[in-house]
Amino acid sequence: MQLRNMTHPNLVLFDVEAHTKEQVIKQLISELNKEGYLESEQEFLKAVLEREEISPTGLERGLAIPHGKSTSVKKAAFAVARLNTPLAGWESIDPTNQVQLVFLIAIPESEADSTHLKVLSTLSTNLMKDGYLEGLMAAETPEAFMNRLDEEKVNEPAADQTFTKTVVAVTACATGIAHTYMAAEALEKAGRELGVRVVVEKQGASGIEDELSADLIKEADAVIFATDISPKNKERFAGKPYVQTRVAEPLRKGKDMVQNALNNPDGVVEKGEADDMSSPASSGGGFFKDAVQAVMTGISYMIPVIVAAGLMMGIAKLGAMPFGLVNELGDPQYATHSNELFVILHHLDKFGALIFKFMYPIFAAFVAYSLADRVGLVAGFIGGAFAGGLHHTFWGIEEGIPSGFLGALFLGLAAGYIARFLNQKIQLNKNFQAMKPMFLIPAISVLSIFFLNFYLVDPMFGGLNVLLRNWIESAQGTGDVVLASIIASATAFDLGGPINKAAGAIAIGLAADEVYPLTARVLAIVIPPIGLGLATVIDKFVVGRRVFPADLRVAGNTSLLLGFIAISEGAIPFMLRNPLITIPINIIGAILGASTAVLLGAVQWLPLPAIWGWPLVENLWAYLLGLVVGAGFIAFANIFVRFSLEKRKERNA
């Protein structure tokens, strides 16, 4: 693919002044729109920001490749920004990366699995070539930059280069795009420098590319798995020494990985037991690290289920609002109502509730999958079904209390560890190998989950849920505030990070079990970005001067906007700049706002924190008052603390 055909000199911007990731992206989108590539700037911006939520698009060596697929893109293209001042706040696979060269790729939805991947793979592979990036950074004009986009490869092996060893590798990232190809190129380059033949199979978003042949695998001396998801068809590598790591590692330690695979491997893929290798999230980190990373994997797969369920119920309730039927929509009379609209809204509401029932099975299944690969899926799914109380439904136990999130967590982990243990320990004659994954492991692991749930999980965690529910119901406000404070503080702590996500999973689990609403959770998502954005607007009116530097004032405008659409990450630049100030104030503000709203009777059961979800809140006035209290505290506390620090600095100058 010729990259220069995918852009235009007017889309190559030099000496760009920007202080945030969003500023860069918006400027490039504006240029794409001016050149006629977009139908709607806002629609494409939304697609790009949604992609940013999935995984880092910042790479290393000053690079970032944000991208988006949208129906608003008329024709595939990319725009480039070379920044005057590197950005340190762009989330990257290399935590020290300071972004200076940005490629923004725009792809029509209809070309999502073709042009999209070709551009990303070509660009990301080229960027790993020796001298390629330096050439782009040295270009003095947009035309020169475009000419260098398709320069010939500069690090191809010499025709007469001989290799004494062969290493095969598999690369795969969560989204199957840029990192997959960059890791592959990094490994091949490291191999050439070491005199080792490295051949890489890419397992990307469009499937397996450059698939390794059976003869090549047989010839290989070792295998490298550089993946963020479980590699496919691992059984092919039985008997080979292996190294397993995350997809970003070859970009930093390519040579070390090749040498370790040959001289100091993590282990050997045993014959007939290839599936016992855990996913990269659970390799070599010990019991606790394996468990934590498995839980995070389960949460990542559970989130789309939650979103889908919330949207279905939200659409139904918003549709019922003009008729005053939001709370009555679940009444069976509306299933056969004479008004067809009411019938549809009723079933759509029930449909959302049905989707919620699959939240725990999906979560537990992928927790087990992270630990044991495919052999853990069935037992994990069954464990999640127990946790969701589906057995009570099918067995006709009307008063049954499901074990909920804690049950799903316990049974998912148990299913994964049991399945992995069985896969490692059961030895069969090669003629009966197929019985192990198809019959023995599912039978024993599922039976184990049944007994664990029957004698331990249901009595313990189901009972705990009963106690929690009774405590909340009998607390008459005090218990509500304590729980609201815990959920709000964890949500506001790291602005979309792992603690935030763990708190969200627990809060949503409690809501799904009808134990405790999501009021504190949804408020704590929006309070920090709104509060920090507000602080940058009113500081000069409060203390008579600006207390935020220019770059944070720009970030504040973005943070304020993103807060209203429930994207808390807009406040991250503030946290990165002054974590000791920002994090405690965020936590206190979220607690104050959530507690105020809960005490005054605000109730939100749906995971819809954005402004369009506010009409679904019971006692909206209390909810908005809590938002004002929390955001106001964060705004004024930041202003006064920073003003005090500025005055102290001036006195000491």
Side-chain angles (χ1 to χ4, degrees), residues 274-546:
D275 282 342
D276 71 352
M277 289 171 52
S278 59
S279 73
S282 60
S283 59
F287 178 87
F288 180 74
K289 184 177 179 181
D290 280 4
V292 170
Q293 293 180 334
V295 170
M296 295 309 297
T297 298
I299 290 173
S300 69
Y301 281 98
M302 179 180 68
I303 287 173
V305 180
I306 296 168
V307 171
L311 282 174
M312 296 304 101
M313 297 179 73
I315 291 170
K317 294 184 184 303
L318 284 171
M321 281 184 63
F323 307 99
L325 301 177
V326 173
N327 296 324
E328 293 80 20
L329 199 56
D331 194 308
Q333 67 170 306
Y334 292 107
T336 55
H337 200 276
S338 57
N339 189 323
E340 185 68 15
L341 176 60
F342 294 169
V343 174
I344 293 296
L345 293 176
H346 168 82
H347 284 95
L348 194 58
D349 187 47
K350 293 293 185 183
F351 179 48
L354 173 65
I355 297 173
F356 263 126
K357 289 290 186 182
F358 290 93
M359 175 176 67
Y360 293 138
I362 294 297
F363 167 77
F366 282 98
V367 168
Y369 177 77
S370 177
L371 292 167
D373 209 298
R374 289 173 291 179
V375 294
L377 275 172
V378 173
F381 188 88
I382 297 300
F386 279 139
L390 291 179
H391 57 308
H392 294 151
T393 301
F394 289 114
W395 296 347
I397 304 175
E398 296 182 2
E399 301 300 321
I401 303 295
S403 56
F405 178 77
L406 291 176
L409 175 63
F410 183 91
L411 292 172
L413 290 170
Y417 283 116
I418 290 170
R420 189 163 76 176
F421 175 81
L422 294 171
N423 205 18
Q424 291 172 341
K425 299 303 179 182
I426 294 176
Q427 302 288 341
L428 296 176
N429 181 282
K430 64 179 181 180
N431 295 321
F432 298 98
Q433 280 294 331
M435 290 183 62
K436 185 169 74 169
M438 299 298 292
F439 174 71
L440 289 176
I441 295 177
I444 297 172
S445 59
V446 167
L447 189 62
S448 300
I449 292 300
F450 169 79
F451 284 115
L452 279 173
N453 183 71
F454 194 82
Y455 286 108
L456 179 64
V457 174
D458 257 0
M460 179 184 294
F461 296 123
L464 183 63
N465 279 346
V466 172
L467 290 175
L468 181 60
R469 179 178 296 177
N470 291 340
W471 171 64
I472 292 172
E473 290 175 351
S474 63
Q476 296 181 350
T478 304
D480 286 359
V481 172
V482 173
L483 192 54
S485 299
I486 294 171
I487 292 172
S489 60
T491 299
F493 177 76
D494 56 355
L495 301 175
I499 295 176
N500 174 296
K501 288 182 171 60
I506 294 170
I508 291 169
L510 292 172
D513 294 335
E514 298 183 0
V515 173
Y516 192 76
L518 284 165
T519 316
R521 165 70 178 175
V522 295
L523 271 169
I525 290 173
V526 301
I527 283 174
I530 291 177
L532 285 163
L534 180 64
T536 64
V537 175
I538 66 173
D539 57 351
K540 64 180 180 181
F541 303 108
V542 175
V543 295
R545 61 187 292 183
R546 293 288 192 184

Side-chain angles (χ1 to χ4, degrees), residues 233-245:
N233 304 328
K234 290 185 293 189
E235 62 275 3
R236 298 172 293 165
F237 304 100
K240 298 295 179 183
Y242 75 91
V243 167
Q244 185 143 22
T245 186

Side-chain angles (χ1 to χ4, degrees), residues 190-202:
R192 288 192 288 269
E193 293 175 359
L194 293 170
V196 177
R197 181 188 181 200
V198 178
V199 184
V200 185
E201 173 180 294
K202 279 80 73 176

Side-chain angles (χ1 to χ4, degrees), residues 592-614:
L592 289 174
S595 299
T596 299
V598 169
L599 277 172
L600 294 176
V603 178
Q604 167 64 300
W605 286 100
L606 299 175
L608 297 172
I611 192 170
W612 49 81
W614 296 358

Side-chain angles (χ1 to χ4, degrees), residues 533-577:
L534 180 64
T536 64
V537 175
I538 66 173
D539 57 351
K540 64 180 180 181
F541 303 108
V542 175
V543 295
R545 61 187 292 183
R546 293 288 192 184
V547 298
F548 293 92
D551 59 337
L552 286 186
R553 291 201 298 272
V554 174
N557 295 329
T558 303
S559 179
L560 190 61
L561 172 63
L562 293 181
F564 282 102
I565 60 175
I567 299 176
S568 59
E569 285 80 354
I572 286 179
F574 297 87
M575 187 177 72
L576 293 174
R577 183 69 64 86

